Amino acid sequence: MLDGQPQIAQLAQRVDSLLEGLYPEVQPFLHYRNPFELLVGVVLSAQSTDAQVNRILPSLFERWPGPCDWAEAPIDELERAVFSTGFYRVKARNLKQAARMLCARGGEVPMDMEELLQLPGVGRKSANVLRGALGGLPAIIVDTHFARVVRRLGLTTSNSPDAIEGELARLVAPERSYPFSMRINLHGRLVCKAHRPGCDNCALNDLCGYVRETRARP
Ligand code: SF4
């Protein structure tokens, strides 16, 4: 945790409110029609892009609509079907195993964090996506975009996703944490890009630690 906690909490509130003005609508990046489809999407999106995953999701669910279909699908066919998202062997194996577990409980995707983490291929980031998007539950979603933007803003100095999640969960009101995560993520994709952040045109540049540091450099 950083020093000056009250100031950082204030900074988080200002960022939250400015981003809400910029991105009033919070839209999921993955296309899905039910909780299982979102679960498959988040597992496949690891080390891939949402666009690539969205491209293949319709054909996957046309072939295997629900968890019990995935549980029974031949592993080599699953591997071929998810090949384009990378790490296809491990993803196919994880999804088949997760589908088996879900099929055994009637197809319902749990919302409890510990239960979600029992599903192969589901880490804290994926579990938070599912909890926030499906359950309206508090969810700080730490992916590469989120971590980069909150570090640059000065909301954390941590590198570990778990530490960042814990710190930001203390800075952002629980009911705002999911939209906050989605807006930070979108801002990272559109403006605060990894190699060339668009600081000159960024609505957050007056309060951003990265800009202050850059300007202070001789
Ligand atoms: S001012 Fe620059 S570094 Fe800061 S959030 Fe905006 S784009 Fe990112």
Side-chain angles (χ1 to χ4, degrees):
M1 182 66 64
L2 299 170
D3 292 334
Q5 186 64 14
Q7 288 90 333
I8 295 170
Q10 222 173 28
L11 173 63
Q13 274 179 18
R14 289 179 63 204
V15 167
D16 184 25
S17 132
L18 283 168
L19 288 180
E20 185 177 21
L22 270 183
Y23 312 115
E25 297 294 323
V26 169
Q27 301 281 358
F29 301 116
L30 291 164
H31 301 160
Y32 64 95
R33 296 168 299 181
N34 58 50
F36 178 68
E37 291 191 0
L38 181 58
L39 184 136
V40 171
V42 295
V43 170
L44 292 179
S45 68
Q47 313 294 324
S48 184
T49 64
D50 294 332
Q52 177 57 33
V53 173
N54 282 334
R55 266 197 287 280
I56 67 164
L57 287 179
S59 59
L60 292 181
F61 297 123
E62 200 179 312
R63 203 160 165 195
W64 302 296
C68 300
D69 307 304
W70 284 70
E72 286 171 13
I75 192 71
D76 58 327
E77 289 185 27
L78 281 180
E79 286 177 357
R80 271 199 298 278
V82 304
F83 176 81
S84 63
T85 68
F87 297 92
Y88 63 98
R89 285 210 170 94
V90 68
K91 286 179 181 175
R93 199 174 56 235
N94 282 343
L95 282 170
K96 188 172 167 71
Q97 182 57 22
R100 251 190 218 135
M101 293 164 73
L102 294 176
C103 182
R105 52 180 287 157
E108 180 208 355
V109 175
M111 284 297 103
D112 176 75
M113 176 61 86
E114 295 312 314
E115 286 185 68
L116 281 167
L117 294 175
Q118 299 295 315
L119 298 171
V122 177
R124 288 196 68 87
K125 186 198 82 177
S126 302
N128 274 316
V129 171
L130 293 161
R131 282 165 55 83
L134 302 173
L137 293 165
I140 294 289
I141 302 163
V142 184
D143 70 353
T144 174
H145 300 293
F146 186 94
R148 177 177 73 253
V149 177
V150 293
R151 269 202 305 269
R152 283 177 175 166
L153 284 166
L155 291 170
T156 181
T157 54
S158 296
N159 288 312
S160 116
D162 286 359
I164 295 173
E165 183 190 333
E167 289 178 24
L168 269 292
R170 288 191 285 277
L171 293 174
V172 180
E175 69 279 10
R176 296 194 63 86
S177 58
Y178 173 69
F180 176 85
S181 296
M182 297 298 284
R183 289 178 177 126
I184 288 272
N185 189 305
L186 185 58
H187 197 64
R189 294 171 191 239
L190 298 179
V191 181
C192 191
K193 297 182 180 176
H195 298 301
R196 195 179 286 221
C199 303
D200 289 346
N201 300 311
C202 176
L204 309 179
N205 59 14
D206 278 348
L207 41 81
C208 180
Y210 178 89
V211 169
R212 263 196 316 280
E213 270 174 36
T214 313
R215 285 180 185 154
R217 276 184 212 143

